[in-house]
Every structure is written in C-alpha cells, then in structure tokens.
Amino acid sequence: DTEVTQTPKHLVMGMTNKKSLKCEQHMGHRAMYWYKQKAKKPPELMFVYSYEKLSINESVPSRFSPECPNSSLLNLHLHALQPEDSALYLCASSQDSSGAEDQPQHFGDGTRLSIL
Amino acid sequence: SQQGEEDPQALSIQEGENATMNCSYKTSINNLQWYRQNSGRGLVHLILIRSNEREKHSGRLRVTLDTSKKSSSLLITASRAADTASYFCASVPRKTSYDKVIFGPGTSLSVIP
C-alpha cells in the first residue's frame, strides 16, 4: 500500500466533460506534484506545489487546472481534454522544497485516464 | 525535457543473476535517484546518491555515480522474479529548484524464474 492515495484509479471521460483527480497524503509533506506518464515512457512533470502555492508549471495546457486546498490534498481539474491526454496521472509528495537535497518523492499508484 | 538516457532499454535475465542498468545525464546535478515501477503501479524510491558520493549500497542494490562522465549505474545482485519492473533514474539538475526531478527513459527488467 502506498502512503499517497489517488482517486479514482480509472476514469473514462468524453472531451466535453469536466472531472477532477484527487490526491491525498498524511505524511506531513509540504511539496506535492502532478506527473503525466504515457505507456512505456517516464513520468513528465506537470505541476509542483510547495507549501500550498504553485511553484512550477511546466507549460501545461490550461485544460489542466491544479488546486491545493490544504497541505494534505492536491486536485487536478480536467476540462475539454483531448484524446492525446489519455495517460496515467501520478501524484507524488516530498518533505518540502526549502533547499534540502535528500528529498525522495513518494508516489501514488495513479489515475489511468482515458479520453473518448 | 529529458535529462538522461538509460541503457539498456530492456533487460532479461535468469533469477539469481545480477542486473546492471546504466544512466547518463546531461547537466550538472545535485543528486541522482533511482526508482522502480511495477506494472500498473506508482514509482517507488530505491536509493539516492549525492553529487559528492561515488558509491552507495542498500540491501541488494549498489549505485555508482561518475560525475566526470555524467553517468550512474544500478546493480541488483541475486535477482528475484519480484524484481521484474521498470527502473528509472531521476536527476535533480543543479541551479534548478530541488523539486524539479527529471526522469530518464527507463530500463524494463524481466527476471525469469
């Protein structure tokens, strides 16, 4: 079992739908991340939140909208997605981003998203 | 952007043999990490080596780092069927936020019982 919980595990949606992915951790971590992973490829960083503030946006299209309601929760709001957005979306957390180097990331098992 | 390359892309070995995976990266780094990903699961952190370290051990894992060649290797000794997974190196480039981990393309390891 992972310490980062992602829901739902699977999501199928049409291109006009609005849905949200959720991520939760209770390790007291203050940095949280969203990654996109296509089949047989490495994870690609999308967003980083540090102390509940967006610190990195890797030029992600605006149809993906992140939100960090509190230090334990991270959401990814989806709207008007394209078929090429079908992928595994991974959430991760780490202790903080205040300059400490030894900060492994803890990953959830992801949400497998399919866009029809 | 992709920071590193991994070699080989796929590796198939018999149980009990050793598996070696290599990773190269392009820019100076703060640290380099290795992660494992089982099919359909998230990534699991295995080991982290700092830029001023040359070798590190954790159980059956041995990681080396050669900053002059911008390369790292992961050795798994006495492999088991449960080691079957994809393995990714991940580097934290120097002069960037410590948050920005960049993953290599990965090595798919199959351990045959």
Side-chain angles (χ1 to χ4, degrees):
Chain A
D1 289 340
T2 61
E3 295 168 314
V4 176
T5 303
Q6 291 188 243
T7 56
K9 292 191 186 305
H10 302 274
L11 179 61
V12 179
M13 57 187 286
M15 288 189 284
T16 58
N17 292 157
K18 286 185 181 181
K19 295 286 184 183
S20 297
L21 309 185
K22 297 186 184 302
C23 174
E24 189 169 3
Q25 58 87 15
H26 294 288
M27 294 178 282
H29 289 174
R30 303 310 299 269
M32 295 186 76
Y33 313 77
W34 280 116
Y35 289 88
K36 173 183 177 181
Q37 186 180 27
K38 302 285 269 186
K40 300 190 186 302
K41 296 291 186 182
E44 295 177 14
L45 183 65
M46 300 174 71
F47 302 104
V48 181
Y49 272 82
S50 178
Y51 291 88
E52 301 158 47
K53 287 185 169 29
L54 183 65
S55 62
I56 295 177
N57 177 342
E58 289 289 277
S59 303
V60 179
S62 60
R63 57 185 185 268
F64 295 91
S65 175
E67 179 197 18
C68 190
N70 60 57
S71 60
S72 300
L73 292 174
L74 186 65
N75 298 323
L76 186 63
H77 302 298
L78 314 173
H79 174 56
L81 295 194
Q82 303 297 308
E84 61 265 27
D85 296 323
S86 297
L88 180 67
Y89 288 84
L90 294 164
C91 173
S93 68
S94 65
Q95 190 167 357
D96 65 37
S97 58
S98 60
E101 292 187 41
D102 298 349
Q103 299 274 348
Q105 294 186 14
H106 299 251
F107 283 80
D109 282 338
T111 293
R112 188 159 300 281
L113 177 65
S114 298
I115 307 300
L116 300 179
Chain B
S1 62
Q2 197 163 290
Q3 162 77 325
E5 299 291 330
E6 279 168 90
D7 166 43
Q9 291 186 331
L11 180 61
S12 183
I13 59 175
Q14 296 288 328
E15 200 165 31
E17 293 180 338
N18 295 342
T20 300
M21 290 160 263
N22 302 299
C23 167
S24 62
Y25 55 91
K26 297 176 183 174
T27 64
S28 296
I29 58 172
N30 290 312
N31 66 58
L32 189 135
Q33 305 169 38
W34 285 90
Y35 288 81
R36 182 188 75 230
Q37 185 177 31
N38 290 87
S39 180
R41 303 297 299 273
L43 281 75
V44 174
H45 180 260
L46 296 175
I47 195 165
L48 180 151
I49 187 165
R50 299 175 186 171
S51 59
N52 61 354
E53 296 176 314
R54 292 296 166 259
E55 187 171 314
K56 203 161 184 180
H57 297 255
S58 176
R60 294 184 296 113
L61 306 180
R62 172 177 169 251
V63 169
T64 62
L65 180 65
D66 186 335
T67 52
S68 66
K69 295 181 179 177
K70 292 188 169 60
S71 68
S72 174
S73 67
L74 172 67
L75 168 68
I76 304 174
T77 60
S79 63
R80 305 166 182 169
D83 295 328
T84 295
S86 292
Y87 291 81
F88 295 96
C89 69
S91 58
V92 178
R94 204 177 291 280
K95 296 183 184 177
T96 66
S97 164
Y98 291 113
D99 297 333
K100 194 161 181 174
V101 171
I102 300 177
F103 288 88
T107 294
S108 177
L109 174 65
S110 296
V111 181
I112 302 165

